[in-house]
Amino acid sequence: MDIQLKKGLLEICVLASLSSEQSYGYKIMTELSSILEISESTLYPILKRLEHACLLSTKQIVHNGRLRKYYQITNQGKQKLIDYGKDIENLHKVTQFVKDKLYTGNQ
Amino acid sequence: MDKEQWFLKLENHLQCLKQKERQDLLQHYTESFNDRLESGQDEQQIIKELGDPESIVDKYKNERIDWAGINSIFVQAHRQQPVLFVILFLFASPILISLLLVFFSVIFTVVMAVVCVSFTLIILFFVIDISGFAFVFGGFVSIVFSIITMTESVGAGFALLGASIVLIGIGVILIVACKTTIPFSIKFAKMSVVRIENLIIFIKNKFINLFYGSKMKGAKKNENI
């Protein structure tokens, strides 16, 4: 997949996976890898960028004697998801449009 | 490569980043590693999945421009080489010139002292060598005189003969001693010259590294951007 497109989609996916409950790095990783091909070295900068844009916040919680960083979605992050939700219909149209053109092109 | 080596390699590549960023990245990957171990993966598997530390850091450095901005990278470059700042600062002040003069005159003095000592040694040993020959020669002359003296007084003649032999003996000892030590002192002189040459090259390299090494590092950072 195109890198820029993938990065944008991954950002939305991360926010989506945090929409109902807080989560941590590895858990987000496993959840997303079933949807898109993702590596740890791709995920980490995305998490940092989202944190820097205040779309998510972090806190440290003790787990099995070590500290684990938990990510939570912020209100701004939730808003971003809602905006994306509004765009889903448009995205459908775009995908369908391209698909159709590809199909007629192949004929 | 094992876990410890992998993290050491990761840490090495993070040296140019600010401490907070460095620690954050290290913590993330430590956590990830431990979580994967907990979930049943083994070390080698995890290392393979996580990938090469250098590319992880390169990827991160490219991404962080988005939120950290291009300028922050130049700040890194300066932070990484405070020595350069000290040198620039010194250049601005006249102290550097006097310091350099003192430094180089000390070096020059040391060099001259070493050269003088080695030459003195060589001359000294030649002198001893020559005096050794003088002793031998004098000893033989003395033998002749001792034989002449024997015609007047046998005892005195023999005494003189004995003394002449002693003289020859001393001369031989001196010559032999010099034959072995002269090569040594010449070697010493040569070695000192080589050492001084090495010292000069070493200093030259240090200067080149400080100025051109950092210029090259700066250029490399530009390429990354």
Side-chain angles (χ1 to χ4, degrees):
Chain A
M1 186 186 275
D2 175 63
I3 296 178
Q4 291 305 321
L5 181 62
K6 194 171 181 178
K7 276 202 278 191
L9 290 178
L10 278 173
E11 280 185 18
I12 288 292
C13 285
V14 168
L15 289 174
S17 79
L18 294 172
S19 59
S20 49
E21 58 168 357
Q22 68 183 14
S23 186
Y24 57 94
Y26 184 54
K27 193 166 163 201
I28 299 173
M29 180 80 186
T30 42
E31 200 176 340
L32 293 187
S33 51
S34 58
I35 316 224
L36 278 177
E37 210 182 284
I38 180 173
S39 64
E40 194 80 53
S41 57
T42 315
L43 179 65
Y44 179 67
I46 288 177
L47 287 171
K48 295 289 343 164
R49 193 181 319 124
L50 290 173
E51 185 180 356
H52 202 84
C54 297
L55 297 174
L56 50 79
S57 63
T58 65
K59 67 177 180 220
Q60 309 268 15
I61 297 181
V62 177
H63 162 86
N64 278 0
R66 54 187 173 95
L67 276 180
R68 203 187 238 167
K69 195 178 220 178
Y70 277 83
Y71 297 90
Q72 294 159 295
I73 195 167
T74 60
N75 287 329
Q76 287 153 284
K78 286 185 188 160
Q79 187 58 47
K80 188 119 193 214
L81 271 177
I82 293 170
D83 293 340
Y84 183 83
K86 292 181 190 160
D87 279 331
I88 288 183
E89 183 52 40
N90 285 336
L91 279 169
H92 257 306
K93 286 194 209 161
V94 168
T95 317
Q96 196 60 50
F97 174 73
V98 175
K99 251 171 113 176
D100 291 341
K101 289 293 176 189
L102 274 174
Y103 183 63
T104 55
N106 278 341
Q107 274 192 327
Chain B
M1 196 181 349
D2 65 8
K3 180 180 177 184
E4 208 180 316
Q5 287 169 329
W6 191 87
F7 273 99
L8 208 67
K9 206 177 167 192
L10 186 64
E11 220 172 321
N12 280 339
H13 283 111
L14 289 170
Q15 285 313 309
C16 58
L17 288 175
K18 301 177 194 174
Q19 199 197 25
K20 204 171 168 208
E21 270 189 283
R22 200 191 321 153
Q23 275 175 353
D24 196 281
L25 197 146
L26 278 171
Q27 194 208 343
H28 177 91
Y29 279 91
T30 308
E31 206 185 285
S32 174
F33 214 109
N34 288 329
D35 282 336
R36 285 163 195 259
L37 283 172
E38 235 177 62
S39 74
Q41 285 183 306
D42 72 68
E43 227 175 75
Q44 290 305 317
Q45 225 180 328
I46 299 174
I47 287 176
K48 197 175 172 192
E49 238 175 72
L50 290 179
D52 172 41
E54 187 169 7
S55 41
I56 288 176
V57 177
D58 277 343
K59 212 165 169 180
Y60 172 71
K61 280 197 228 171
N62 281 329
E63 294 295 323
R64 74 189 274 288
I65 296 172
D66 287 348
W67 67 83
I70 288 182
N71 290 329
S72 71
I73 293 189
F74 288 135
V75 173
Q76 288 333 322
H78 287 159
R79 265 163 165 254
Q80 173 190 347
Q81 288 139 20
V83 190
L84 206 60
F85 263 115
V86 174
I87 293 203
L88 282 170
F89 180 77
L90 282 178
F91 264 123
S93 71
I95 296 175
L96 182 70
I97 298 170
S98 349
L99 273 178
L100 278 176
L101 277 175
V102 170
F103 178 69
F104 282 115
S105 32
V106 167
I107 299 252
F108 183 72
T109 314
V110 169
V111 166
M112 288 312 286
V114 168
V115 168
C116 288
V117 166
S118 22
F119 272 111
T120 310
L121 276 177
I122 293 175
I123 293 173
L124 182 70
F125 284 120
F126 266 119
V127 164
I128 294 178
D129 204 15
I130 291 171
S131 36
F133 278 106
F135 269 98
V136 169
F137 181 71
F140 276 113
V141 168
S142 208
I143 288 180
V144 171
F145 273 114
S146 66
I147 292 173
I148 294 173
T149 316
M150 274 191 224
T151 57
E152 283 176 42
S153 152
V154 178
F158 268 108
L160 200 56
L161 181 69
S164 349
I165 292 175
V166 169
L167 277 180
I168 296 175
I170 293 174
V172 168
I173 289 173
L174 287 176
I175 294 172
V176 169
C178 287
K179 285 286 175 277
T180 49
T181 48
I182 280 185
F184 166 77
S185 48
I186 291 177
K187 198 177 167 192
F188 176 76
K190 276 188 187 168
M191 269 173 61
S192 327
V193 171
V194 168
R195 291 247 166 85
I196 290 163
E197 268 174 7
N198 282 344
L199 186 67
I200 293 173
I201 291 173
F202 174 74
I203 294 173
K204 200 177 76 173
N205 279 340
K206 274 277 175 252
F207 268 108
I208 290 177
N209 266 339
L210 275 175
F211 289 106
Y212 295 106
S214 55
K215 265 193 199 164
M216 278 166 64
K217 276 185 198 165
K220 208 177 169 189
K221 287 225 178 319
N222 283 327
E223 279 167 30
N224 264 345
I225 293 170

